[in-house]
Amino acid sequence: MKLWLFSHRCPLCDRRASTYLCAGCAAAIEQCRRHPQSPVEICASVRVHVWGSYAGALRRALEVLKYKQRPELGDWLGERLGRWWLNQDKPPLAFQVVAVPLHPSRQAQRGYNQADRIARAFCQRTGFVYRPHGLRRIVATPALHGLDPERRARALEQAFAVGTAPAVRPVLLVDDICTTGSTLARCAAALLKAGSGAVEAAVIARPALDRRPRADA
């Protein structure tokens, strides 16, 4: 039986592909991956391990994941994140993994939490313990992408609560994108208050923030 009978269309470019992503799109996403020895970034006091830059094909993939009803793309990205993690010179900590949650109303609208899909695939690859109910989002925050850091922080006040009590072990928060780190910082604060160990984060992408001084500064 011919291979094309088993092929499907790539969710990013709609070309026929014999694997989940076509070779061109998979290669383009890999081009967005950061250097293997890139230092860990400190975002709003949280140590964040960033897989790639939020640009090009990776940005397109994350938009399709979140807004085009393609939750399985989170599985693909989470597996790559896990593979990358295992190839890094990381401390051999026994992390428990918690996904950044969506508010129930947002999750019902979307049908899934993209961070949950990424985290599950990441844990399957790394062997870390996944705690699917580690955090709850109890405040339906507005869209954060258009807010400055101060307004983001205000919107996220008291937004998260611990679900099941975490073990006294390090926690690795997993999310799709980190911009300012405000969401990760609020999640970390809730976990630490509940008695977890130190909290770090791993994300698929982060924008290359423009840190040039403003002309009117």
Side-chain angles (χ1 to χ4, degrees), residues 40 44 71 106 203:
V40 174
R106 179 73 58 84
V203 300

Side-chain angles (χ1 to χ4, degrees), residues 66-208:
K66 293 173 71 171
Y67 306 120
K68 300 295 185 180
Q69 292 296 306
R70 299 306 296 256
E72 72 280 1
L73 189 48
D75 306 338
W76 191 92
L77 290 167
E79 197 278 335
R80 265 54 182 186
L81 181 66
R83 185 187 303 177
W84 170 81
W85 183 278
L86 294 176
N87 286 330
Q88 305 304 297
D89 185 19
K90 303 290 188 190
L93 297 177
F95 280 108
Q96 51 189 330
V97 173
V98 174
V100 172
L102 291 178
H103 188 268
S105 61
R106 179 73 58 84
Q107 183 158 338
Q109 181 183 39
R110 184 170 295 166
Y112 56 92
N113 175 9
Q114 70 278 0
D116 170 75
R117 298 295 294 250
I118 293 168
R120 288 178 185 275
F122 173 80
C123 288
Q124 287 178 357
R125 169 59 73 168
T126 60
F128 290 153
V129 173
Y130 182 48
R131 297 192 176 275
H133 306 294
L135 282 171
R136 296 181 297 123
R137 199 169 194 137
I138 56 176
V139 175
T141 55
L144 301 176
H145 61 267
L147 303 181
D148 59 40
E150 183 178 349
R151 292 171 67 196
R152 279 175 179 257
R154 287 202 303 269
L156 290 165
E157 287 179 7
Q158 310 300 320
F160 300 98
V162 169
T164 56
V168 186
R169 283 168 41 201
V171 173
L172 190 69
L173 285 167
V174 170
D175 205 1
D176 55 344
I177 304 168
C178 169
T179 304
T180 66
S182 298
T183 298
L184 297 175
R186 290 295 181 181
C187 289
L191 289 163
L192 290 167
K193 185 177 180 180
S196 77
V199 180
E200 299 185 17
V203 300
I204 296 296
R206 189 174 190 223

Side-chain angles (χ1 to χ4, degrees), residues 34-52:
R34 295 197 175 183
H35 190 278
Q37 301 305 319
S38 295
V40 174
E41 298 186 24
I42 307 298
C43 306
S45 76
V46 179
R47 287 169 50 87
V48 182
H49 306 264
V50 182
W51 187 84

